[in-house]
Amino acid sequence: MKTLLRGRVLTFHADPADTADNHRFWEDGAILIEDGRIEAVGDHADLRHHDATEIDHRPNLILPGFIDPHIHFPQVQVIASWGEQLLDWLNTYTFPAELKFASPEHAAHMADRFLGLLLAHGTTTASTFCSVHPASAEALFAAADARGMAMVAGKVMMDRNAPDGLRDTAQQGYDDSRALIDRWHGRGRLRYAITPRFAITSTPEQLQAAGALAAEFPDLHIQTHLSENLAEIDFTRELYPEARDYLDIYDRHGLLGPRSLMGHAIHLSDREIARMAETGARAIHCPTSNLFLGSGLFDDHAMREASVVTGVATDVGGGTSYSMLATLSEAYKIAQLNGRRMHPLQAFHWATRGNAIALGMEDEIGAIEPGRHADLVVLDPRATPAMALRAEAARTLAEELFILQIMGDDRAVAQTYVAGKPMGVGDKLR
Ligand code: GUN
Ligand code: ZN
């Protein structure tokens, strides 16, 4: 049976920062879905004759589901932890919380809650850090698979500078990652990401093991952290004195390429930025986290000028919201502090097709086009009284989008679809 979603449909085919011809918008639009994939998109008048169950979302907007290319699933109870910057925040709050994910029961319960929260916020795909325990990745993959979600995830590899119970070894990290790859990578819509947490918590031997995995499985993502915080950078340079700079540590271990997702990437030298562009490694901006932890201001404009592909992500629990709308709001403000203006069309492109490109998954997700998976979010720009009042004076699509970007959160998400399936109120943990 086919489904026809009716609404105000918006999708991007190019970056608004690059070209005027970048999006399609159907004021009375429709999306025809069969077997979880988009069969057609266009004017409702042209698609209404299909034999399909129709769901009318007017006057709400229908966009591709949001993509969050950097988030930590074991930090669902770390979000909003007071008073520290990165290294103390990790030691005081994050590592103790991640220890609990040794328990498969705790991991399974939290995986369920985590995915419920993602979907309630309109996020249909994420690239997720699990804890060091394979059980945490098992739980997340199983829960994502049950929902039919396209999920990228990996257990963190960390063999030093972390408490007992939160360290593997170079060999164990390799073996556990490998077993998870064999079990989950390519199953349903799941993908494994090789996940050395960051240089501080990995010995050179472990980064070498991560590099060996990357060489054996070149289609896998690699996710880690890079140059987030000044104290972190100092400590990292002490641990790897032979490296030219922070990026060079990952480079020397074969961890840079177009499938490498480098979280934060704030305090980079010109050489590092040029090398990111040369290798194709992605810079993932985490605005709410960077403000919350006082880490610094990511310069998206400079990255784009240097031809570095960027993504934008929540980084919960350093980040302060699961909402990609709230994330785009803080990204807008960081751009302001950098003296740049981010157009709302550019922002919504970034959180959808832009992040799909960052993940190398643009053939599968991030746009409403025939053949793509029907991962969609339905947004209500009048979701709260304050938004509705502001929207009364909105005259253009860009204005409506900007209201969503600056004032929106999960209250503006009217519905989320994964592979054409509405994610029910049971998933909405409001
Ligand atoms: N660097 C290493 N681990 C983490 C983490 O969990 N969150 C953030 N924000 N940075 C990190
Ligand atoms: Zn992170």
Side-chain angles (χ1 to χ4, degrees):
M1 192 57 194
K2 299 184 188 192
T3 307
L4 191 68
L5 302 185
R6 185 175 187 179
R8 301 169 63 226
V9 178
L10 173 65
T11 185
F12 296 89
H13 54 267
D15 190 335
D18 299 334
T19 168
D21 177 14
N22 51 63
H23 69 279
R24 297 291 307 273
F25 178 60
W26 294 271
E27 178 63 41
D28 187 2
I31 304 165
L32 185 66
I33 299 168
E34 184 170 27
D35 291 334
R37 288 189 191 256
I38 296 162
E39 193 175 305
V41 56
D43 286 320
H44 179 259
D46 295 333
L47 295 173
R48 60 189 295 175
H49 57 86
H50 284 271
D51 184 17
T53 307
E54 184 169 315
I55 303 170
D56 193 352
H57 284 295
R58 290 175 303 164
N60 290 337
L61 296 160
I62 309 178
L63 275 77
F66 293 129
I67 299 166
D68 185 348
H70 184 119
I71 187 166
H72 297 258
F73 135 64
Q75 295 178 16
V76 284
Q77 295 183 319
V78 175
I79 184 170
S81 290
W82 183 84
E84 306 291 2
Q85 296 213 348
L86 178 64
L87 298 180
D88 292 328
W89 173 84
L90 284 170
N91 286 318
T92 308
Y93 299 115
T94 307
F95 290 161
E98 293 198 8
L99 271 169
K100 296 186 193 166
F101 286 74
S103 154
E105 293 75 29
H106 180 76
H109 178 59
M110 292 299 165
D112 209 45
R113 305 290 295 268
F114 173 74
L115 294 182
L117 283 165
L118 288 190
L119 293 167
H121 287 79
T123 297
T124 47
T125 287
S127 190
T128 307
F129 290 68
C130 302
S131 73
V132 73
H133 317 98
S136 70
E138 289 282 340
L140 184 70
F141 280 128
D145 199 33
R147 288 168 168 81
M149 293 173 77
M151 181 63 57
V152 181
K155 75 148 223 117
V156 290
M157 303 169 79
M158 46 196 292
D159 66 347
R160 65 167 161 178
N161 292 316
D164 289 347
L166 219 53
R167 292 187 310 273
D168 52 13
T169 63
Q171 187 64 46
Q172 192 69 47
Y174 175 92
D175 291 345
D176 288 346
S177 301
R178 225 197 129 117
L180 287 164
I181 293 164
D182 289 344
R183 195 157 141 74
W184 294 104
H185 182 67
R187 183 152 147 183
R189 301 178 65 194
L190 307 176
R191 296 170 194 230
Y192 196 81
I194 301 162
T195 310
R197 182 177 203 122
F198 68 156
I200 287 178
T201 47
S202 285
T203 59
E205 294 70 36
Q206 180 162 73
L207 290 189
Q208 201 171 341
L213 278 174
E216 279 171 73
F217 300 97
D219 63 323
L220 257 53
H221 290 91
I222 298 165
Q223 57 181 355
T224 187
H225 297 87
L226 171 70
S227 286
E228 174 178 2
N229 164 291
L230 296 178
E232 171 215 9
I233 295 167
D234 287 346
F235 188 22
T236 303
R237 299 299 305 275
E238 280 173 33
L239 292 172
Y240 288 88
E242 69 292 350
R244 265 197 278 195
D245 45 42
Y246 197 156
L247 185 74
D248 190 45
I249 299 168
Y250 297 130
D251 204 353
R252 282 162 179 252
H253 292 94
L255 294 169
L256 296 186
R259 302 192 76 73
S260 304
L261 310 170
M262 316 306 284
H264 305 288
I266 300 171
H267 308 283
L268 298 180
S269 65
D270 290 347
R271 193 207 79 82
E272 288 173 295
I273 294 173
R275 184 65 184 149
M276 293 268 299
E278 197 173 45
T279 59
R282 276 43 173 160
I284 309 297
H285 180 25
C286 304
T288 71
S289 171
N290 297 163
L291 295 173
F292 179 72
L293 294 174
S295 301
L297 302 178
F298 178 89
D299 191 348
D300 174 56
H301 183 81
M303 288 296 195
R304 285 170 191 252
E305 289 282 290
S307 301
V308 176
V309 178
T310 65
V312 61
T314 66
D315 191 33
V316 164
T320 54
S321 174
Y322 292 86
S323 171
M324 288 303 295
L325 297 171
T327 300
L328 293 174
S329 178
E330 300 310 286
Y332 178 86
K333 295 168 196 168
I334 288 177
Q336 283 278 39
L337 288 168
N338 285 328
R340 303 284 170 192
R341 284 193 284 185
M342 187 198 302
H343 193 277
L345 283 173
Q346 197 187 334
F348 279 84
H349 170 270
W350 207 5
T352 56
R353 180 176 175 269
N355 277 339
I357 290 170
L359 293 178
M361 294 170 70
E362 65 271 27
D363 292 339
E364 182 185 341
I365 55 173
I368 303 175
E369 286 173 24
R372 301 289 207 289
H373 291 267
D375 294 347
L376 305 163
V377 60
V378 182
L379 295 173
D380 177 4
R382 293 158 192 82
T384 68
M387 291 170 78
L389 183 60
R390 171 63 183 88
E392 281 177 21
R395 295 286 166 266
T396 64
L397 173 66
E399 269 187 276
E400 271 187 280
L401 292 174
F402 198 54
I403 294 168
L404 282 165
Q405 177 181 349
I406 300 304
M407 302 177 78
D409 52 32
D410 54 331
R411 292 169 296 178
V413 176
Q415 186 59 273
T416 305
Y417 290 90
V418 171
K421 258 183 37 199
M423 291 292 135
V425 283
D427 280 320
K428 296 225 161 194
L429 302 168
R430 295 225 166 129

